[in-house]
Amino acid sequence: MIDFPKIKFCGLSKLKDIEVAIKLNINWAGLIYVKSSPRYVNFQTSDRIIKKYINMINFVGVFVDPDDDYIERAIKSGIDTIQLHGKETPERCAYIGRVFQLPIIKAFSIYSEEDLKNITNYKDCCDMFLFDAKKSKKDINIGGNGKSFDWNIIKNNESWLNSFKPWFLSGGLSDKNILNAINLTKAKAVDISSGIEKYKGCKDSNLMKEFIFKLKKANNIDNKFLEK
C-alpha cells in the first residue's frame, strides 16, 4: 500500500479530457498556454472548457516566461493557479503572485542535486514546486517529453525537501512506473501528461483510467467506475 497522492493531469485540451478527469476525481487540470507546445490551448478553447466545468476541478494555467497581459487573459478564462515553467526569477514569481493573487507553482528541471537545491531561492515567492526532467538538446518542449530524472535525488533529500513547500513529482510518469515512483520519492502530488497520451497532444481516456486504476488497486480502493 502507498499513500494515495493528489493528481494533476496536464496538457488537457478537449472537453472530453476534462470530463474524464472529473469522473476520476483528479485534483488539477493543466491547460498549457505555450504556443510551441503540441498541447497548446488558445484562449477561445480555454474559455469554453473552463466555462463548462468551472468549480468542478481546479484549472492550472501553464506558462513559460509570460508577460502580464498574457497571464491576465488566461485568468479571464477562469484559471485558479499559475504554473511557471520557464526561467522566471524569484523576483518575477513574487511579482506575479502579488499582482494576480493566485497560487504559484514553480517548475524546476532536475538533472542533479544542485538543480534541486535551487528551490531555496524560491521558497518565499511560490506556493508549490514541481520537479520535472531536464530536457535534452533534441527536446523542443521544456516539459511533457516522457522522460524521468533520477528519483534518488528526491529520496536522498527527503527530509530537507519536505521542510519547504508542497511539491509535485513529474516527468515520464505512467501506469507502469507510478507505484515505484511514489514508493521511492514519497511524493504527495504527481503530474502526468505524456503517460496518458496516444501521441503528443492527444489524451487517451483508457490510459487515464489505467493510471488511476493502478493507484487505487495498490490502496484497495473501489474501482467500479474504472471497470465499466
Side-chain angles (χ1 to χ4, degrees):
M1 184 175 291
I2 61 171
D3 291 332
F4 199 94
K6 292 185 176 180
I7 299 168
K8 175 171 170 274
F9 279 173
C10 201
L12 305 185
S13 58
K14 297 179 176 61
L15 290 171
K16 64 179 182 179
D17 298 339
I18 306 296
E19 185 175 348
V20 173
I22 290 170
K23 287 181 178 179
L24 293 173
N25 293 315
I26 301 305
N27 304 92
W28 296 274
L31 303 180
I32 297 182
Y33 293 98
V34 182
K35 293 181 180 179
S36 62
S37 171
R39 306 170 182 97
Y40 166 67
V41 293
N42 57 36
F43 293 129
Q44 183 179 10
T45 299
S46 67
D47 287 347
R48 185 169 65 253
I49 288 174
I50 297 175
K51 181 179 180 180
K52 183 173 178 63
Y53 296 111
I54 192 77
N55 298 324
M56 298 175 71
I57 194 169
N58 296 305
F59 286 99
V60 179
V62 180
F63 306 89
V64 172
D65 301 310
D67 61 32
D68 292 357
D69 290 342
Y70 201 62
I71 297 173
E72 185 173 7
R73 179 60 184 84
I75 290 173
K76 287 180 180 178
S77 281
I79 63 168
D80 44 46
T81 302
I82 297 169
Q83 180 174 319
L84 300 172
H85 220 296
K87 297 180 180 179
E88 300 87 4
T89 64
E91 292 76 18
R92 177 63 175 154
C93 292
Y95 173 85
I96 291 172
R98 184 169 64 251
V99 169
F100 296 107
Q101 294 293 300
L102 289 179
I104 303 292
I105 301 171
K106 182 68 181 83
F108 296 86
S109 297
I110 306 297
Y111 179 76
S112 66
E113 187 172 290
E114 183 179 352
D115 296 322
L116 182 65
K117 297 292 186 179
N118 190 36
I119 68 173
T120 59
N121 298 314
Y122 290 81
K123 64 184 178 67
D124 296 325
C125 61
C126 300
D127 299 281
M128 293 173 276
F129 299 135
L130 183 146
F131 304 130
D132 201 354
K134 185 167 286 190
K135 73 171 188 173
S136 69
K137 293 181 180 180
K138 295 181 180 180
D139 295 324
I140 297 174
N141 302 297
I142 291 178
N145 294 306
K147 296 179 179 178
S148 303
F149 62 93
D150 183 1
W151 297 326
N152 285 298
I153 295 172
I154 300 293
K155 179 183 179 182
N156 295 338
N157 290 277
E158 181 180 348
S159 297
W160 174 84
L161 182 59
N162 289 334
S163 68
F164 286 90
K165 306 285 185 178
W167 52 273
F168 294 83
L169 181 67
S170 185
L173 296 176
S174 71
D175 63 290
K176 296 177 178 60
N177 63 15
I178 185 60
L179 298 184
N180 183 44
I182 294 174
N183 277 323
L184 193 64
T185 67
K186 305 299 187 292
K188 294 180 174 59
V190 296
D191 175 286
I192 178 172
S193 182
S194 61
I196 50 172
E197 291 181 335
K198 293 179 183 177
Y199 53 85
K200 279 192 177 183
C202 182
K203 293 298 188 273
D204 185 316
S205 61
N206 289 325
L207 289 176
M208 292 182 187
K209 292 176 183 179
E210 187 61 31
F211 185 81
I212 302 303
F213 182 91
K214 187 64 68 70
L215 287 171
K216 287 190 172 184
K217 186 176 182 181
N219 284 269
N220 297 316
I221 298 174
D222 180 49
N223 267 307
K224 287 183 179 179
F225 168 74
L226 301 177
E227 292 169 351
K228 289 181 181 180

